[in-house]
Amino acid sequence: MTDFMQYAYVFLWGILAVLMFAAGRRQGPAAYLLSLFFVFMTVWYALRSFGGYEMFDGTLGIIFKCIIIAFLLLFVGAYFLLKRKNQSDNSGADDKDNE
């Protein structure tokens, strides 16, 4: 990957983190979780680009993959919790309409 693309990824992840944090005020906690993910990606790519560390090789590569899997599990869990909450809220509203 060229130097330009490495720097572009750092700024891309950083911009996404700021945008999701701003959207968190309207969207709720799920947006803050995504913002935290984008901050992690910004730092990880910045260490690679600006620090010159091999962040995707060896032990650091394994740590990166484990953290990505943990975020994926958090996202899936949050999705199902929000979906279940919305379904229970909607069924409660339907019960009130039937009375």
Short mmCIF file of all heavy atoms in Angstrom, two decimals, residues 15-35 38:
data_model
loop_
_atom_site.label_atom_id
_atom_site.label_comp_id
_atom_site.label_asym_id
_atom_site.label_seq_id
_atom_site.Cartn_x
_atom_site.Cartn_y
_atom_site.Cartn_z
N ILE A 15 -12.31 10.75 10.61
CA ILE A 15 -13.52 11.49 10.22
C ILE A 15 -14.77 10.69 10.55
O ILE A 15 -15.76 11.24 11.06
CB ILE A 15 -13.45 11.85 8.72
CG1 ILE A 15 -12.37 12.91 8.50
CG2 ILE A 15 -14.80 12.34 8.21
CD1 ILE A 15 -12.02 13.13 7.04
N LEU A 16 -14.75 9.39 10.28
CA LEU A 16 -15.90 8.55 10.61
C LEU A 16 -16.15 8.53 12.12
O LEU A 16 -17.31 8.52 12.56
CB LEU A 16 -15.70 7.13 10.08
CG LEU A 16 -15.85 6.97 8.57
CD1 LEU A 16 -15.43 5.57 8.15
CD2 LEU A 16 -17.26 7.27 8.14
N ALA A 17 -15.09 8.52 12.91
CA ALA A 17 -15.26 8.52 14.38
C ALA A 17 -15.94 9.80 14.84
O ALA A 17 -16.87 9.76 15.65
CB ALA A 17 -13.90 8.37 15.06
N VAL A 18 -15.52 10.93 14.30
CA VAL A 18 -16.12 12.21 14.69
C VAL A 18 -17.57 12.28 14.23
O VAL A 18 -18.46 12.72 14.99
CB VAL A 18 -15.29 13.39 14.12
CG1 VAL A 18 -16.02 14.71 14.29
CG2 VAL A 18 -13.93 13.44 14.76
N LEU A 19 -17.85 11.84 13.01
CA LEU A 19 -19.23 11.86 12.50
C LEU A 19 -20.16 10.96 13.32
O LEU A 19 -21.29 11.34 13.62
CB LEU A 19 -19.26 11.46 11.04
CG LEU A 19 -18.72 12.48 10.05
CD1 LEU A 19 -18.68 11.90 8.65
CD2 LEU A 19 -19.56 13.74 10.07
N MET A 20 -19.69 9.78 13.68
CA MET A 20 -20.54 8.87 14.46
C MET A 20 -20.73 9.40 15.87
O MET A 20 -21.79 9.21 16.46
CB MET A 20 -19.95 7.46 14.49
CG MET A 20 -20.07 6.72 13.20
SD MET A 20 -21.73 6.69 12.50
CE MET A 20 -22.63 5.85 13.76
N PHE A 21 -19.73 10.06 16.42
CA PHE A 21 -19.90 10.65 17.75
C PHE A 21 -20.95 11.76 17.70
O PHE A 21 -21.79 11.86 18.59
CB PHE A 21 -18.57 11.19 18.28
CG PHE A 21 -18.66 11.68 19.68
CD1 PHE A 21 -18.67 10.78 20.73
CD2 PHE A 21 -18.76 13.02 19.96
CE1 PHE A 21 -18.76 11.21 22.05
CE2 PHE A 21 -18.85 13.48 21.27
CZ PHE A 21 -18.86 12.57 22.31
N ALA A 22 -20.91 12.57 16.64
CA ALA A 22 -21.91 13.63 16.48
C ALA A 22 -23.30 13.03 16.26
O ALA A 22 -24.29 13.54 16.77
CB ALA A 22 -21.53 14.54 15.33
N ALA A 23 -23.38 11.94 15.52
CA ALA A 23 -24.67 11.29 15.27
C ALA A 23 -25.18 10.58 16.52
O ALA A 23 -26.38 10.32 16.63
CB ALA A 23 -24.54 10.30 14.12
N GLY A 24 -24.30 10.29 17.44
CA GLY A 24 -24.69 9.60 18.66
C GLY A 24 -25.70 10.36 19.48
O GLY A 24 -26.50 9.77 20.20
N ARG A 25 -25.69 11.67 19.38
CA ARG A 25 -26.65 12.47 20.12
C ARG A 25 -28.07 12.17 19.66
O ARG A 25 -29.00 12.20 20.44
CB ARG A 25 -26.35 13.94 19.97
CG ARG A 25 -25.03 14.31 20.58
CD ARG A 25 -24.72 15.77 20.34
NE ARG A 25 -23.36 16.03 20.78
CZ ARG A 25 -23.03 17.06 21.52
NH1 ARG A 25 -23.94 17.92 21.89
NH2 ARG A 25 -21.78 17.24 21.87
N ARG A 26 -28.24 11.91 18.37
CA ARG A 26 -29.57 11.62 17.84
C ARG A 26 -29.85 10.13 17.77
O ARG A 26 -30.99 9.72 17.93
CB ARG A 26 -29.71 12.20 16.43
CG ARG A 26 -29.89 13.71 16.45
CD ARG A 26 -30.13 14.25 15.06
NE ARG A 26 -28.84 14.31 14.37
CZ ARG A 26 -28.63 13.93 13.13
NH1 ARG A 26 -29.60 13.47 12.41
NH2 ARG A 26 -27.44 14.02 12.60
N GLN A 27 -28.85 9.32 17.50
CA GLN A 27 -29.06 7.90 17.24
C GLN A 27 -29.00 7.03 18.49
O GLN A 27 -29.47 5.91 18.47
CB GLN A 27 -28.04 7.39 16.22
CG GLN A 27 -28.10 8.09 14.90
CD GLN A 27 -29.42 7.90 14.20
OE1 GLN A 27 -30.04 6.87 14.29
NE2 GLN A 27 -29.87 8.94 13.51
N GLY A 28 -28.35 7.48 19.52
CA GLY A 28 -28.29 6.71 20.76
C GLY A 28 -26.97 6.00 20.96
O GLY A 28 -25.97 6.28 20.29
N PRO A 29 -26.96 5.04 21.89
CA PRO A 29 -25.71 4.39 22.29
C PRO A 29 -25.04 3.56 21.19
O PRO A 29 -23.83 3.38 21.21
CB PRO A 29 -26.11 3.48 23.45
CG PRO A 29 -27.55 3.68 23.68
CD PRO A 29 -28.09 4.62 22.67
N ALA A 30 -25.80 3.07 20.24
CA ALA A 30 -25.20 2.27 19.17
C ALA A 30 -24.21 3.11 18.35
O ALA A 30 -23.16 2.61 17.94
CB ALA A 30 -26.28 1.69 18.26
N ALA A 31 -24.52 4.37 18.14
CA ALA A 31 -23.61 5.24 17.40
C ALA A 31 -22.33 5.51 18.19
O ALA A 31 -21.26 5.62 17.60
CB ALA A 31 -24.31 6.55 17.05
N TYR A 32 -22.45 5.60 19.51
CA TYR A 32 -21.24 5.78 20.33
C TYR A 32 -20.35 4.54 20.27
O TYR A 32 -19.13 4.64 20.28
CB TYR A 32 -21.61 6.11 21.77
CG TYR A 32 -22.21 7.48 21.94
CD1 TYR A 32 -23.44 7.64 22.53
CD2 TYR A 32 -21.52 8.61 21.52
CE1 TYR A 32 -23.99 8.91 22.69
CE2 TYR A 32 -22.05 9.88 21.68
CZ TYR A 32 -23.28 10.02 22.27
OH TYR A 32 -23.82 11.25 22.42
N LEU A 33 -20.96 3.37 20.20
CA LEU A 33 -20.20 2.14 20.07
C LEU A 33 -19.45 2.11 18.74
O LEU A 33 -18.27 1.76 18.69
CB LEU A 33 -21.12 0.92 20.20
CG LEU A 33 -20.47 -0.44 20.13
CD1 LEU A 33 -19.49 -0.63 21.28
CD2 LEU A 33 -21.53 -1.53 20.16
N LEU A 34 -20.13 2.52 17.67
CA LEU A 34 -19.47 2.61 16.37
C LEU A 34 -18.36 3.65 16.39
O LEU A 34 -17.30 3.44 15.79
CB LEU A 34 -20.48 2.95 15.28
CG LEU A 34 -21.25 1.78 14.71
CD1 LEU A 34 -22.35 2.28 13.79
CD2 LEU A 34 -20.35 0.83 13.97
N SER A 35 -18.59 4.75 17.08
CA SER A 35 -17.56 5.77 17.20
C SER A 35 -16.32 5.22 17.89
O SER A 35 -15.19 5.50 17.48
CB SER A 35 -18.10 6.98 17.95
OG SER A 35 -17.12 7.96 18.08
N PHE A 38 -14.39 3.17 15.45
CA PHE A 38 -13.64 3.98 14.50
C PHE A 38 -12.43 4.65 15.16
O PHE A 38 -11.40 4.83 14.50
CB PHE A 38 -14.55 5.01 13.83
CG PHE A 38 -15.56 4.41 12.89
CD1 PHE A 38 -16.86 4.86 12.88
CD2 PHE A 38 -15.22 3.39 12.03
CE1 PHE A 38 -17.80 4.32 12.03
CE2 PHE A 38 -16.14 2.83 11.17
CZ PHE A 38 -17.43 3.30 11.17
#
